[in-house]
Amino acid sequence: MSQPRSAVVLGAQWGDEGKGKIVDVLSERFSVVARYAGGHNAGHTVIIGGQKFVLQLIPCGVLRPECKGVIGNGVVFDPAAFLSEVKKLREAGLPVDGQLFVSNRAQVILPYHRMIELAAETAPGRTKIGTTRRGIGPAYEDKVHRNGLRIVDLLNSALLRTHIKNACDEKNTIAHALFGTEPLDPKGMYEEYSKMAEQVAPFVTDTAVLLNQELDRGGNVMFEGAQGALLDIDHGTYPFVTSSSSTAGGAVTGTGVAPTRIGTVIGVTKAYVTRVGEGPFPTEINDASAELLRARGQEYGAVTGRPRRCGWLDLPLLRYSNMINGTEWLVVTKMDVMDAFEEIPVCTHYKIDGKVTDMIPADIRGFESIEPVYTTLKGWQESTEGITEWDKLPQRAQEYLRFLEKESKAKIGMVSTGPDRDQTMALPEFEAVLRG
């Protein structure tokens, strides 16, 4: 099997699976890493030699000097957040000039998007989705409404002025009428964003052309997902989802690379499950085991700091994720977190209205009636932290992983045994694929 020319790396659960570390580890084998969806609501934490990097918008590939980073057209782009990250990377001595590129077709997040989202999320009587309140949803709404501002428009001073004035007239009126929000100043907004546009301009290009040319010349491209497959706007646990296509299909629409050019799909799953914010969670636990998982796994949001809800591994959801993404390979993260457990329940099926099923309900009421069917595996209660060879894993840890592989219908390619870049093992078959 030859090395895939391109690969999608995505979260197989509700996000926070450790994709940032895995993209960083794999980026050594790729010439470009392209982010295809989401915005700066998705925090990726990477630890290299003990030094911690939290990237929210910029692809993790930029942490390797020989790897280019691309922010694709499917991303909603906050100029202030982008420039703040660029500044931190420069201060850390990492090259971004000539290595980082932004699509001229990406949509721009502006202050009124944050105003609308914050007001809607906190309004009395509204269903709380659990957003990060950073304007992601309203920016995608404007995109679909064909009333958004793209990067190419941000760089057009006259168009920017007109757009901000018209948008503020509309958004201020709506926000005040619905939520009693104080109006934003379009003049000050224009002055602020026209200055940021000048700093963003050197990074802007037609990234669809860049990516296709890279593939044409024999380069290897990795498509970096944000959030997780179960937060996808179409296929996730709606309405408790994100506003973009976080599944593998989003890599195509979010970058301008054809589906026939995608080589493989790599899904990242924790050895357990977490979720931030509201929404269904069939295997959620609320006892001492959850506290132990949260403490051992440091389960707090990289962007928000919110404590994550914790639960046992949910195989019906993982099988569903693998199906809709065409996942060929699985990467299992936070294996070391499970070291403390004497027994580890794993959900293998659901029972709904007395019937055992693998089917994932489309509606929230269906999720509320789920009774998880568990198989309990023996824990290993030995340290796996930092182990990088399969044969050195405890026997029961190997059995846990092989059970996961058999039941999920995807091959395990890598296992992460700690937060650092070096605390990772690639299994021989996957390593052979990566080496080509």
Side-chain angles (χ1 to χ4, degrees):
M1 188 183 296
S2 60
Q3 180 177 1
R5 292 277 301 285
S6 62
V8 179
V9 178
L10 51 79
Q13 300 167 322
W14 283 294
D16 308 311
E17 301 93 347
K19 297 181 297 297
K21 171 188 168 172
I22 301 308
V23 169
D24 171 63
V25 169
L26 292 174
S27 62
E28 184 179 16
R29 278 93 168 186
F30 290 84
S31 51
V32 180
V33 176
R35 171 86 176 271
Y36 64 82
H40 65 306
N41 57 336
H44 288 171
T45 302
V46 179
I47 299 175
I48 306 169
Q51 186 176 6
K52 184 176 180 180
F53 298 89
V54 178
L55 299 174
Q56 296 174 15
L57 188 59
I58 292 174
C60 297
V62 298
L63 298 176
R64 293 189 184 271
E66 68 280 5
C67 188
K68 294 184 176 70
V70 166
I71 295 175
N73 57 274
V75 173
V76 283
F77 181 89
D78 186 313
F82 172 77
L83 292 171
S84 174
E85 281 190 59
V86 165
K87 182 172 181 286
K88 288 175 183 174
L89 290 170
R90 283 175 173 153
E91 288 171 350
L94 293 166
V96 289
D97 301 290
Q99 291 294 110
L100 181 59
F101 304 89
V102 178
S103 170
N104 52 10
R105 290 177 170 85
Q107 296 279 323
V108 179
I109 296 175
L110 289 152
Y112 50 75
H113 293 127
R114 292 190 290 274
M115 172 184 72
I116 293 284
E117 185 166 57
L118 175 62
E121 187 75 359
T122 56
R126 297 286 289 253
T127 298
K128 289 180 173 51
I129 302 298
T131 73
T132 55
R133 304 178 184 182
R134 299 193 169 197
I136 308 298
Y140 277 114
E141 286 176 28
D142 276 358
K143 175 181 179 177
V144 176
H145 196 245
R146 294 163 293 181
N147 195 33
L149 183 83
R150 299 183 301 167
I151 296 287
V152 68
D153 307 320
L154 177 73
L155 305 185
N156 182 324
S157 181
L159 195 155
L160 177 64
R161 185 192 298 273
T162 302
H163 182 94
I164 286 177
K165 181 184 182 304
N166 292 341
C168 282
D169 287 346
E170 176 188 325
K171 309 294 185 185
N172 282 338
T173 301
I174 292 171
H176 183 73
L178 291 179
F179 311 116
T181 304
E182 290 300 311
L184 295 171
D185 171 30
K187 184 174 182 292
M189 192 186 304
Y190 165 75
E191 290 173 354
E192 180 184 7
Y193 277 75
S194 60
K195 289 176 184 174
M196 284 192 278
E198 293 176 2
Q199 297 175 67
V200 170
F203 298 96
V204 177
T205 190
D206 188 327
T207 54
V209 172
L210 183 155
L211 291 169
N212 280 284
Q213 286 180 345
E214 185 69 23
L215 289 168
D216 289 343
R217 68 170 65 100
N220 300 316
V221 176
M222 187 198 310
F223 300 94
E224 177 185 15
Q227 288 90 27
L230 301 177
L231 292 175
D232 185 88
I233 186 67
D234 289 297
H235 301 288
T237 48
Y238 191 89
F240 300 97
V241 292
T242 193
S243 303
S244 59
S245 297
S246 53
T247 46
V252 174
T253 56
T255 63
V257 172
T260 51
R261 307 198 82 169
I262 304 295
T264 191
V265 178
I266 301 166
V268 184
T269 174
K270 284 177 180 168
Y272 52 102
V273 189
T274 63
R275 177 161 199 168
V276 170
E278 308 299 323
F281 191 165
T283 63
E284 183 173 13
I285 45 181
N286 295 293
D287 57 20
S289 295
E291 292 302 322
L292 186 56
L293 282 172
R294 190 174 296 115
R296 287 183 58 82
Q298 291 296 296
E299 295 298 352
Y300 300 91
V303 171
T304 63
R306 291 182 290 182
R308 296 175 184 141
R309 299 156 65 191
C310 296
W312 304 118
L313 189 63
D314 187 326
L315 287 168
L317 280 179
L318 185 56
R319 286 192 286 263
Y320 174 74
S321 172
N322 290 346
M323 177 188 73
I324 61 176
N325 289 299
T327 304
E328 183 180 7
W329 296 97
L330 279 178
V331 176
V332 181
T333 61
K334 299 209 171 183
M335 189 67 184
D336 55 302
V337 173
M338 309 305 288
D339 293 349
F341 294 92
E342 184 178 352
E343 293 185 327
I344 306 173
V346 177
C347 174
T348 57
H349 298 84
Y350 295 151
K351 187 181 284 186
I352 303 177
D353 298 330
K355 296 179 180 178
V356 176
T357 180
D358 263 2
M359 295 291 289
I360 307 301
D363 65 323
I364 296 304
R365 290 184 299 277
F367 269 97
E368 290 168 351
S369 63
I370 284 175
E371 180 185 341
V373 177
Y374 287 105
T375 293
T376 300
L377 303 179
K378 291 287 186 183
W380 43 95
Q381 294 190 291
E382 298 176 51
S383 176
T384 61
E385 185 174 0
I387 292 177
T388 57
E389 296 176 40
W390 175 265
D391 291 342
K392 292 185 179 178
L393 284 172
Q395 185 62 35
R396 284 179 176 165
Q398 294 181 28
E399 290 169 3
Y400 184 80
L401 290 167
R402 289 306 182 200
F403 181 81
L404 188 165
E405 181 177 61
K406 178 176 176 237
E407 291 287 329
S408 71
K409 300 180 171 63
K411 296 173 285 188
I412 292 179
M414 297 183 79
V415 181
S416 172
T417 56
D420 202 273
R421 176 190 275 177
D422 295 331
Q423 295 174 312
T424 315
M425 75 173 74
L427 274 67
E429 187 182 357
F430 189 60
E431 186 67 51
V433 170
L434 294 177
R435 283 200 309 266

